């Protein structure tokens, strides 16, 4: 992974393992280096105003947005950040997409606020601290430890 600081933003790039970085690095702008290194840009996480949860768009969506009170259906995969253990995925065999009413407290705070504004087809990553997840008690039945930070990858499938 390479980090480039370009004026006010920090850009993060991943490097294909088969690429050689020697002799390619220099004083070129980050985008030029990225092309030389056969890399892809990863958007940095951004805070959700008023919350500690952070979000990152993986794939842009279009059209309708998730708003407070609407019914949203998403694919979701949750991983405990500290252990790297997946605790839930709607894409696993026998699972199905998850439907909930957005912005009204039916799900953990970080998810509830972190999904607002997602557009149809959008894929988003959320980094949810314990305070806005399952708190100091965790959720032992799912393997979420006390104080566990959650990393969710979500895909917006339907908005009603």
């Amino acid at each position: 992974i390479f980090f480039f600081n370009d004026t006010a933003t920090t850009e993060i790039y991943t490097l294909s393992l088969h690429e050689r970085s020697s002799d390619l690095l220099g004083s070129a702008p980050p985008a030029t280096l990225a092309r030389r290194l056969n890399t892809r840009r990863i958007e940095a996480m951004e805070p959700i105003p008023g919350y500690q949860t952070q979000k990152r768009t993986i794939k842009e969506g279009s059209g309708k947005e998730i708003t407070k009170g609407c019914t949203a259906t998403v694919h979701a995969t949750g991983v405990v950040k500290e252990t790297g253990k997946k605790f839930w995925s709607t894409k696993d065999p026998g699972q199905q997409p998850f439907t909930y009413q957005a912005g009204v407290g039916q799900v953990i705070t970080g998810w509830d606020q972190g999904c607002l504004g997602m557009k149809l087809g959008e894929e988003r990553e959320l980094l949810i601290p314990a305070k806005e997840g399952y708190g100091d008690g965790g959720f032992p039945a799912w393997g979420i430890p006390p104080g566990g930070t959650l990393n969710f990858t979500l895909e917006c499938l339907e908005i009603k």
Side-chain angles (χ1 to χ4, degrees):
I1 297 178
F2 289 89
F3 298 89
F4 298 107
N5 191 358
D6 184 20
T7 62
T9 63
T10 299
E11 298 181 15
I12 303 170
Y13 295 87
T14 57
L15 172 66
S16 300
L17 291 177
H18 67 277
E19 296 289 336
R20 288 186 51 204
S21 62
S22 62
D23 301 326
L24 293 175
L25 297 176
S27 60
T32 301
L33 289 173
R35 283 190 298 277
R36 285 184 194 167
L37 295 171
N38 188 25
T39 61
R40 64 183 177 89
R41 180 179 176 166
I42 299 172
E43 297 295 325
M45 296 291 257
E46 62 181 87
I48 295 170
Y51 297 88
Q52 294 177 358
T53 295
Q54 296 181 19
K55 66 180 179 176
R56 177 177 70 87
T57 300
I58 297 169
K59 177 184 158 200
E60 296 286 338
S62 61
K64 202 169 184 178
E65 288 187 6
I66 296 177
T67 57
K68 184 177 180 178
C70 77
T71 300
T73 301
V74 298
H75 266 310
T77 299
V79 173
V80 176
K81 181 184 174 200
E82 292 81 0
T83 64
K85 180 182 181 270
K86 178 176 74 173
F87 59 85
W88 179 55
S89 179
T90 60
K91 294 183 176 186
D92 284 347
Q95 296 290 315
Q96 55 188 335
F98 181 73
T99 301
Y100 72 104
Q101 189 175 9
V104 297
Q106 284 189 348
V107 293
I108 58 174
T109 301
W111 174 317
D112 211 18
Q113 297 304 309
C115 289
L116 293 176
M118 278 185 80
K119 294 183 179 184
L120 200 55
E122 181 176 333
E123 292 179 26
R124 182 178 286 187
E125 179 182 5
L126 298 177
L127 189 60
I128 304 172
K131 177 181 172 187
E132 294 171 5
Y134 291 103
D136 292 336
F139 197 129
W142 280 11
I144 300 170
T149 300
L150 309 177
N151 186 272
F152 275 100
T153 303
L154 302 131
E155 177 185 3
C156 183
L157 303 173
E158 185 176 43
I159 302 168
K160 291 183 184 176

